[in-house]
Amino acid sequence: MYAFSLSQAESVAGQNAHVNIRKGDKRVKRSKKPSVHLSFQWIAIFLFLTGGSAGLQAANETDHPLGLTPPPDYTIGYPSRAADLDVLPGFLTPPAGYGEVAFYWWVGDPLTRERLTWQLDQLAGKGVMGLQINYAHSDEGGNTYGLTYPSDPPLFSEAWWKLVQWFAGEARKRGMAISLSDYTLSSVGQGQWTDEVLKENPDLHGSTLEPVSWECTGGKEFSVEVPERTVGVSAWKTENGSAVAESVIDLRPHLQGRTLRWQAPEGTWKVVAVRSQVQMKSIDPLDPRTGPKVIEKFFQRFEDKLPGEAGKALNFFFSDELEFGIRKNLWHSRFADEFKKRKGYDVVPELPALFTDIGPRTPKVRLDFNDVMVALEEESFFKPVLLWHHNRGMIYGGDHGGRGTDVTEFGDYFRTQRWMNGPGNDQPNLGTDVIKTKVHSSIAHLYQQPRTWLEGYHSSGWGTTPSQLVGAGIENYCLGTTLQTFHGLYYTTHGGFWEWAPPCNHFRMPYWKHMGTLMTWSQRLCYLLSQGVHRCDVAILYPVAPMQ
C-alpha cells in the first residue's frame, strides 16, 4: 500500500467507497460523488494495486545518487521529496509538468502555419504539455531503418527552422513545449547529425575486439604473423583441453612488428591474439568526444535557434531506439590505460578471457572489463547528454531497443539508462509488460530520477476507445508509469498512408471533445505517483553480471 505522511489516501470502506484523508490531526471524510472526474475511490484502488510503499520521506537533495544538483527553479514536472508535502492540492489541480507529451508526426502534407495553428487550438486546454515532432521512415536506403521520409519544408532547412521557431512560440502561448524525436534520424547511415559528426571526425567510428587463436607444442619455436591492429598476444598451458591455472604468459615482448617468435616451454599451449576491428557503421560511445559532438550537432542547435527557451518552450526530448551500431567487447585507444587506473592491473595479457576460459581469473577479467567499458560509455555519452538537459530544466526520456529485456544492451542497460531523467519504454496495442515498465520505474526510483515515461499505445488501431485507454492506463500506472505519451498525433492522414502506427489519439477522434476528462485523470495520477521517495518491499536481481 502506498503510504503518505500527510493528505494520506488511507482506506477504502463500504459500498460508497468513502476515503479518509488525514490532514494534520484532523480527519475529513469525503464521499464519492457522481462525476466523470476521477474520484478518490480510484486513487485508493491505484495505491493498493501498486503494492509498494512510496512514503513522502525527507530527501537530501545535495546527496543525489548520481551527484546531480537540483534543476533550475523554473523546471516543471519534478516531484517533491519533502516529508511534509500535502499532495491533495496538487492532486486536485496538478501543477505544470504532469500532462501528456504527444508524438506529433510532421509528414504527409506541406507544413503550413495556418494548419498548425488550427491544430494547436484543438490541443489547447486538453492536458497536452509537450509536442514532440516525429518523422517516419521509408523502407529504402539507410542503415538501421529506411531513410526518413522527406518533409516540406525539408528537415533542418532554414525554412524549417523558421517554422519551428514560430511553432514553439505559438505552442508556448497555449501552455505546451516542443521537441524533436531522434527516431529514424540518429543512427549511422540515416543522413543526419551522426553522419555529420563522423564526416568531420572519421576516427570516431567504434572498434570491437576479436580473437585469433592457435595451438602449439612446447620445446620448439612457435612463429606466426598476427593480424593488423593486434592489441595483445598471450599464451597459456592446457591439459586435457582446459587452461592450467596461473599459466598465462604475455607474449608482447616476443613480437617484432606483426611477427611473433616464441620458444614455448614444454607442454601444450594455446596462443591467442586479440585485435581491434573498426566497425564503419558505428559511432564510438567510449570516445569522450562523442556525447559533446552529438549535443553540438543536435540538441544545441535547438537552443541556439530558441535562445532562453530551454525548459520553457523547449522541453521533453525523447531518444527512440538509440543505436551506436556496435556492442559487446568495445575497445578504444585509451581503454588499457583507463583500465589500469581503475582496476590496478594490466588487462591486455588477459583479454583472451573475454572469449575463452583462461583459468580461475576468467570471471574477474570479464566483470572488470565490462565495468570499465560501461563506465567509459556513461562518462563519454550518457552522462553529458543527461546533464545538458538536466541543467536546463528539461526532462529527457527514451525507449531503447531491448526496453530492459536485454540486460547487456549498451554493456549494462540499467547503468546506462539511469542517465535519463525520464527512463521509459513503449507499450504497443494497449498492452502492458511488467518487465519493461518495472525495469524503468526501478531505475527512476533507485537513482531518484523524476519520471518514468510511457510511449503508448501505437498500433492499437482506429477503433481504440477512451475506455480502452483508461484500462491500459490503469495497468501501466500500477506498474510505475508517471509520464504519459499517446503515440499518435497526426498532422495529416492524407490518403491514409501517413497513419504511422495508428491511431491518432487526439483531435481526429470523434470523442476528442470529451478527452479533457481523461487527460485530467492522467495528470492527477502522474502527479500523485511521482511524489515522495519509493519504498520497495521486494528486490529482484537484474542479472547483468551473470550475462557478462
Side-chain angles (χ1 to χ4, degrees):
M1 182 95 177
Y2 270 91
F4 296 95
S5 59
L6 291 175
S7 293
Q8 178 178 17
E10 198 169 68
S11 64
V12 180
Q15 300 236 332
N16 292 327
H18 295 296
V19 175
N20 293 311
I21 300 175
R22 189 197 312 269
K23 202 166 188 178
D25 293 325
K26 183 179 179 182
R27 295 179 67 83
V28 181
K29 197 171 191 181
R30 298 181 184 268
S31 299
K32 175 184 176 184
K33 298 179 180 179
S35 172
V36 295
H37 293 282
L38 180 65
S39 70
F40 286 102
Q41 177 191 18
W42 274 112
I43 294 302
I45 291 172
F46 268 95
L47 300 179
F48 176 77
L49 287 175
T50 49
S53 175
L56 290 174
Q57 303 174 339
N60 184 356
E61 292 187 343
T62 63
D63 191 25
H64 192 281
L66 297 178
L68 300 178
T69 58
D73 291 340
Y74 57 77
T75 302
I76 63 172
Y78 268 65
S80 171
R81 311 295 187 192
D84 59 351
L85 174 67
D86 183 354
V87 298
L88 180 59
F91 168 72
L92 294 175
T93 307
Y98 293 93
E100 187 228 353
V101 178
F103 282 11
Y104 199 179
W105 299 89
W106 274 19
V107 289
D109 277 335
L111 298 164
T112 67
R113 294 189 179 194
E114 294 73 21
R115 191 168 185 173
L116 288 168
T117 298
W118 183 89
Q119 294 184 2
L120 285 170
D121 288 340
Q122 308 313 302
L123 298 167
K126 288 290 180 67
V128 179
M129 67 173 176
L131 298 170
Q132 183 188 117
I133 300 166
N134 272 248
Y135 284 89
H137 63 83
S138 69
D139 59 357
E140 297 178 351
N143 184 27
T144 306
Y145 312 93
L147 290 174
T148 304
Y149 283 120
S151 66
D152 181 8
L155 179 63
F156 299 137
S157 65
E158 190 57 36
W160 187 88
W161 280 117
K162 286 181 179 179
L163 182 69
V164 166
Q165 289 169 321
W166 166 85
F167 179 68
E170 293 299 310
R172 188 177 181 187
K173 290 177 187 176
R174 296 163 175 83
M176 294 176 276
I178 73 156
S179 62
L180 174 68
S181 170
D182 65 5
Y183 181 60
T184 84
L185 302 171
S186 67
S187 300
V188 177
Q190 294 303 113
Q192 300 297 336
W193 58 87
T194 305
D195 293 334
E196 183 180 353
V197 169
L198 290 170
K199 183 177 180 180
E200 295 176 2
N201 305 272
D203 58 337
L204 267 181
H205 292 287
S207 296
T208 54
L209 294 177
E210 299 175 356
V212 179
S213 62
W214 304 268
E215 303 287 340
C216 77
T217 303
K220 58 184 180 181
E221 183 180 78
F222 175 74
S223 180
V224 70
E225 187 171 284
V226 301
E228 293 182 354
R229 298 177 61 88
T230 289
V231 174
V233 189
S234 301
W236 59 92
K237 195 172 185 178
T238 62
E239 291 180 356
N240 300 318
S242 298
V244 175
E246 308 300 329
S247 66
V248 175
I249 299 174
D250 184 357
L251 298 184
R252 284 177 294 177
H254 302 276
L255 274 174
Q256 296 179 356
R258 288 176 52 198
T259 302
L260 172 66
R261 289 189 175 88
W262 176 53
Q263 190 70 32
E266 291 295 330
T268 302
W269 294 80
K270 186 167 187 177
V271 178
V272 176
V274 177
R275 66 173 179 174
S276 66
Q277 180 64 41
V278 177
Q279 305 298 330
M280 294 305 296
K281 294 181 179 181
S282 74
I283 189 167
D284 190 356
L286 305 186
D287 195 295
R289 296 171 294 169
T290 297
K293 285 294 182 183
V294 169
I295 291 169
E296 174 193 340
K297 299 297 185 182
F298 178 39
F299 300 112
Q300 187 59 47
R301 285 174 171 168
F302 280 86
E303 187 175 43
D304 292 344
K305 296 292 185 179
L306 294 165
E309 294 296 343
K312 299 165 187 173
L314 191 63
N315 205 345
F316 306 110
F317 280 91
F318 189 85
S319 174
D320 204 335
E321 301 187 18
L322 175 67
E323 178 59 67
F324 295 123
I326 192 171
R327 64 177 302 168
K328 295 195 174 178
N329 300 311
L330 310 188
W331 189 254
H332 188 277
S333 58
R334 69 185 180 124
F335 192 98
D337 289 340
E338 289 291 336
F339 187 98
K340 193 166 187 177
K341 280 192 285 187
R342 297 165 195 243
K343 299 299 180 182
Y345 66 94
D346 184 4
V347 72
V348 174
E350 298 183 286
L351 285 176
L354 302 177
F355 309 98
T356 188
D357 182 17
I358 66 168
R361 282 180 57 82
T362 299
K364 174 176 174 55
V365 173
R366 290 179 181 177
L367 291 173
D368 284 350
F369 181 92
N370 279 277
D371 184 37
V372 173
M373 181 184 76
V374 173
L376 293 177
E377 284 188 271
E378 291 180 281
E379 295 162 15
S380 300
F381 181 81
F382 291 101
K383 183 177 180 179
V385 172
L386 170 65
L387 289 179
W388 188 90
H389 291 83
H390 175 81
N391 293 340
R392 289 161 173 77
M394 301 166 72
I395 289 180
Y396 171 62
D399 167 44
H400 292 152
R403 280 83 173 178
T405 62
D406 181 355
V407 299
T408 60
E409 186 174 11
F410 311 119
D412 183 331
Y413 188 83
F414 214 93
R415 273 177 64 183
T416 55
Q417 301 313 288
R418 64 184 177 169
W419 299 103
M420 286 190 161
N421 49 20
N425 56 274
D426 65 354
Q427 294 287 10
N429 300 311
L430 299 167
T432 57
D433 188 309
V434 65
I435 294 175
K436 291 199 303 187
T437 304
K438 276 297 184 185
V439 165
H440 296 101
S441 63
S442 295
I443 291 170
H445 292 146
L446 280 173
Y447 296 104
Q448 293 182 26
Q449 296 293 17
R451 310 295 289 279
T452 304
W453 201 322
L454 171 68
E455 175 197 329
Y457 299 93
H458 73 71
S459 308
S460 62
W462 282 108
T464 300
T465 65
S467 63
Q468 289 176 315
L469 293 175
V470 169
I474 288 172
E475 295 185 52
N476 283 291
Y477 290 132
C478 287
L479 293 178
T481 291
T482 59
L483 197 164
Q484 177 71 59
T485 278
F486 290 125
H487 181 274
L489 171 56
Y490 299 153
Y491 176 74
T492 180
T493 56
H494 181 75
F497 182 71
W498 300 102
E499 300 168 13
W500 188 253
C504 174
N505 303 101
H506 297 85
F507 54 78
R508 297 185 184 282
M509 284 298 191
Y511 47 75
W512 176 246
K513 65 180 180 179
H514 305 294
M515 278 286 284
T517 299
L518 188 151
M519 293 293 205
T520 299
W521 168 82
S522 175
Q523 283 178 282
R524 286 175 166 177
L525 286 176
C526 286
Y527 167 78
L528 190 64
L529 297 175
S530 296
Q531 309 308 307
V533 178
H534 190 72
R535 296 176 184 164
C536 186
D537 300 324
V538 178
I540 298 176
L541 174 68
Y542 193 65
V544 178
M547 295 299 294
Q548 291 175 338

